[in-house]
Amino acid sequence: MNNDIAKVLLDETQIAAVVDGIAEKINKDYKNEELVVVGILKGSIMFLADMFRRLEVSCSLDFMAASSYGSSAVSSGKVTIEKDLSSDIKGKHVLVVEDILDTGNTLSYIKDYLKEKEPLSVKICTLFDKPSRRQKPINPDYVGRTIPDLFIVGYGLDYNEKYRNLSYIGVLKPEIYS
Ligand code: XMP
Ligand code: MG
């Protein structure tokens, strides 16, 4: 199922198995708790939609969007909130859902920002983790797959806003971005 732009890393069946596994853990950990799930736009949308409907705990849904400035090669680590929460998380358990944890700049900023709102807890759930590129001391509480330093697209993940619509997750071929 390889195509012109990406080599398949996870196909639809494999993605579903990974998402099931994460949802199962969350269901166990938050049993009898109330949870606010916060999706980070836009990359998390497919993962969030599939994972959220597998949750069996009492939960609400909110979104945030953030951008980090600097070129992709030299991240400045400066993060700006472009869309804030529309609900109050004070005294609530929060689960942040992200597509991929890379340098950690985005999620460590978001986590600190959310903590100021006095939630009961803040945990991080990410479909992918690239720990080799980390610049901030942040680790996910739930992770689908840990990957080496590859650029991946599909299932919500983009390259210059393209390829989010792929039903699989693929490693972008170097000729596309070089
Ligand atoms: P940091 O570096 O702050 O950034 O952890 C995480 C964000 O960087 C993007 N990112 C990727 N997007 N394929 C993508 O489509 C990748 O391999 C990749 N690596 C990082 C992504 O927007 C993520 O939220
Ligand atoms: Mg993203």
Side-chain angles (χ1 to χ4, degrees):
M1 202 173 76
N2 290 344
N3 70 12
D4 293 343
I5 67 108
K7 185 172 178 293
V8 178
L9 178 67
L10 293 181
D11 64 22
E12 285 180 73
T13 309
Q14 292 170 312
I15 293 171
V18 170
V19 174
D20 274 349
I22 292 179
E24 204 175 301
K25 283 186 193 140
I26 294 169
N27 284 329
K28 211 181 276 176
D29 291 355
Y30 291 93
K31 202 175 175 182
N32 305 320
E33 305 282 4
E34 184 93 22
L35 184 62
V36 182
V37 175
V38 176
I40 307 301
L41 297 171
K42 307 173 202 167
S44 72
I45 57 159
M46 310 287 186
F47 171 44
L48 179 69
D50 287 342
M51 198 270 284
F52 193 72
R53 75 185 106 169
R54 285 169 174 76
L55 295 185
E56 291 158 1
V57 298
S58 172
C59 52
S60 63
L61 181 60
D62 209 336
F63 292 96
M64 284 183 76
S67 63
S68 81
Y69 290 100
S71 76
S72 52
V74 193
S75 168
S76 69
K78 209 172 157 195
V79 179
T80 304
I81 306 270
E82 289 178 339
K83 189 229 169 287
D84 205 343
L85 295 175
S86 54
S87 54
D88 187 7
I89 58 166
K90 187 170 179 172
K92 300 197 174 149
H93 290 293
V94 173
L95 181 67
V96 178
V97 178
E98 177 62 301
D99 52 355
I100 185 163
L101 180 54
D102 189 20
T103 63
N105 285 322
T106 310
L107 277 183
S108 77
Y109 183 90
I110 286 176
K111 196 174 182 183
D112 289 346
Y113 179 81
L114 292 175
K115 278 180 173 172
E116 281 174 22
K117 297 177 185 277
E118 300 175 44
L120 211 50
S121 68
V122 182
K123 283 191 178 180
I124 305 287
C125 172
T126 185
L127 184 55
F128 289 97
D129 186 16
K130 280 200 244 183
S132 63
R133 288 188 21 105
R134 201 79 88 245
Q135 293 172 5
K136 292 277 162 62
I138 183 165
N139 283 308
D141 300 282
Y142 304 93
V143 53
R145 284 284 171 93
T146 300
I147 58 168
D149 186 12
L150 302 168
F151 199 87
I152 57 172
V153 293
Y155 193 65
L157 290 126
D158 73 306
Y159 170 66
N160 281 347
E161 293 300 323
K162 284 175 77 180
Y163 314 123
R164 293 192 198 275
N165 55 317
L166 300 178
S167 57
Y168 63 93
I169 291 158
V171 177
L172 194 64
K173 291 186 176 172
E175 57 262 38
I176 305 288
Y177 56 89
S178 56

